[in-house]
Amino acid sequence: MRQIILDTETTGLEWKKGNRVVEIGCVELLERRPTGRTYHQYINPQREFEQGAAEVTGLSLEFLSDKPLFAAIADEFLAFIDGAELVIHNAAFDVGFLDYELSRLGEPYGRLADRVTVEDSLLLARQRFPGQRNSLDALCKRLGVDNTHRQLHGALLDAQLLCEVYLYLTAGQREIGFGGAEDATSGAPAAMAHQFDPSAVGARPKVSASEDELAAHEARLATLRKKAGGRCLWDPPVFEVG
């Protein structure tokens, strides 16, 4: 399965108020393994930031003034994600903004749902940690993902952190080892083609039950069979012949 971990940054909290996407960051997984392919792009929103958004991203319209419009990068972005499962934290937010951007380009561009499926990692986290804070920062702290270099929100950095968090949430995989190149003039991540070393990912752990554990399991099944009158849910099915 091909998955894309995706994050966006925007000029504000609501696309219905005309706020725009200013940054997209993506990390590609194939069969749950990082491929080394990423997508990162800053975008000129042609409008000012709301104050809160400017503070959390550290971006400004001045910095983005020479960056391409969404219309100029749409085809490249859609080609990168086409046919994948997108993993997004609080997916409704990012999908709403991206669908809004696509709608501005006209009917032929459709919606994200025409091209991809979406899994919301926030919903996964809430299922695993009900009643707890499940922001990206909170999950990094809880799951031992190093986010000490995250001083501001950035789409590619957040996608890389979410990738580690997602693999912990779903399989406990560790040590992905992202690299973080930075733009020499702005201190912001450089656009496009960031790479990290997939070989830094350790082998998946293989866990096998011990003989004592197997014996305890069988004893428990025997108790359940007795209560159920002969068979229990975990017994293999019996097919009658003839």
Side-chain angles (χ1 to χ4, degrees):
M1 171 187 270
R2 181 171 176 263
Q3 295 173 296
I4 301 293
I5 314 298
L6 180 145
D7 186 73
T8 64
E9 300 300 336
T10 63
T11 60
L13 294 178
E14 295 187 40
W15 62 265
K16 292 180 181 179
K17 293 183 177 180
N19 283 300
R20 306 289 301 277
V21 174
V22 297
E23 186 183 8
I24 300 173
C26 301
V27 174
E28 183 184 61
L29 299 178
L30 189 61
E31 303 301 335
R32 296 179 51 80
R33 305 283 290 186
T35 65
R37 294 185 67 220
T38 65
Y39 176 88
H40 180 232
Q41 183 63 61
Y42 290 114
I43 300 164
N44 183 349
Q46 296 184 300
R47 61 153 288 161
E48 285 291 349
F49 282 77
E50 294 179 355
Q51 182 176 358
E55 290 174 353
V56 301
T57 63
L59 299 175
S60 67
L61 185 57
E62 181 182 3
F63 171 76
L64 297 169
S65 62
D66 63 344
K67 304 302 185 287
L69 304 182
F70 185 86
I73 62 93
D75 290 338
E76 181 180 48
F77 166 61
L78 292 174
F80 187 85
I81 68 170
D82 195 38
E85 177 185 70
L86 302 185
V87 178
I88 309 174
H89 207 62
N90 190 17
F93 178 88
D94 301 79
V95 171
F97 267 95
L98 290 170
D99 278 346
Y100 173 60
E101 294 288 353
L102 293 173
S103 73
R104 292 171 56 93
L105 302 182
E107 187 176 345
Y109 280 88
R111 299 164 59 87
L112 283 185
D114 300 328
R115 303 169 179 271
V116 298
T117 58
V118 177
E119 181 166 37
D120 191 338
S121 55
L122 178 58
L123 297 182
L124 290 176
R126 286 173 175 170
Q127 292 169 5
R128 181 166 177 184
F129 307 112
Q132 300 185 53
R133 293 182 62 248
N134 288 300
S135 67
L136 182 57
D137 280 336
L139 290 170
C140 285
K141 182 177 181 180
R142 187 176 306 139
L143 299 173
V145 174
D146 182 11
N147 68 337
T148 54
H149 52 308
R150 188 193 191 222
Q151 304 302 318
L152 296 168
H153 288 221
L156 183 60
L157 172 60
D158 287 2
Q160 291 172 336
L161 291 173
L162 178 58
C163 185
E164 294 195 57
V165 165
Y166 173 72
L167 291 174
Y168 269 106
L169 283 173
T170 56
Q173 189 170 342
R174 296 173 179 262
E175 295 180 3
I176 293 177
F178 291 108
E182 291 191 346
D183 183 89
T185 56
S186 68
M192 302 298 296
H194 289 252
Q195 300 291 326
F196 58 93
D197 183 8
S199 66
V201 183
R204 297 181 185 179
K206 182 177 180 180
V207 180
S208 301
S210 67
E211 291 185 5
D212 289 343
E213 290 170 332
L214 291 173
H217 175 68
E218 183 57 36
R220 179 60 176 165
L221 292 185
T223 301
L224 294 175
R225 292 187 192 103
K226 185 175 180 180
K227 292 181 178 180
R231 292 185 56 76
C232 67
L233 179 64
W234 289 270
D235 285 325
V238 176
F239 299 97
E240 295 184 3
V241 179

